[in-house]
Amino acid sequence: MTTMRLKRFGSKKRPYYRVVIQDNRKATSSVTIDEVGYYHPIAEKDQQVKLDAEKVKMWISKGVQVSPTVKNLINSQGISLERK
């Protein structure tokens, strides 16, 4: 089963996350299937989240499970989570 979740990068106290598609049986630091965006919690409000809406919708339509944190980020960007 695949999951859309955050993958942490950055240094100590300077986190940077990528929103990735990954097999949920793998460790979060392992190989990813696809990257659909990023999240910078320290950056200015208008530059914190960048998501590729088309990729997000495509993966959701394929049945990817979305983690709660990523779901909040997607909702903040106004992207629909409906499966088609």
Side-chain angles (χ1 to χ4, degrees):
M1 179 182 286
T2 54
T3 307
M4 188 179 304
R5 61 186 180 186
L6 296 175
K7 186 173 183 179
R8 190 182 195 279
F9 290 90
S11 60
K12 184 177 177 182
K13 299 192 180 187
R14 300 285 302 166
Y16 165 81
Y17 300 93
R18 291 184 188 163
V19 181
V20 298
I21 309 299
Q22 202 169 29
D23 188 343
N24 67 349
R25 295 170 290 186
K26 304 264 183 181
T28 55
S29 60
S30 66
V31 178
T32 61
I33 298 170
D34 194 9
E35 291 183 12
V36 296
Y38 65 79
Y39 171 52
H40 282 286
I42 296 177
E44 296 177 20
K45 287 289 182 188
D46 61 335
Q47 298 175 352
Q48 280 187 344
V49 181
K50 171 100 169 70
L51 296 171
D52 186 345
E54 294 300 317
K55 280 188 176 181
V56 170
K57 290 177 183 178
M58 177 194 69
W59 281 107
I60 289 174
S61 69
K62 289 183 178 184
V64 167
Q65 297 294 316
V66 182
S67 74
T69 305
V70 174
K71 184 181 276 190
N72 289 338
L73 293 175
I74 291 171
N75 286 336
S76 74
Q77 295 297 302
I79 300 171
S80 173
L81 290 174
E82 295 178 14
R83 299 186 195 277
K84 294 180 181 174

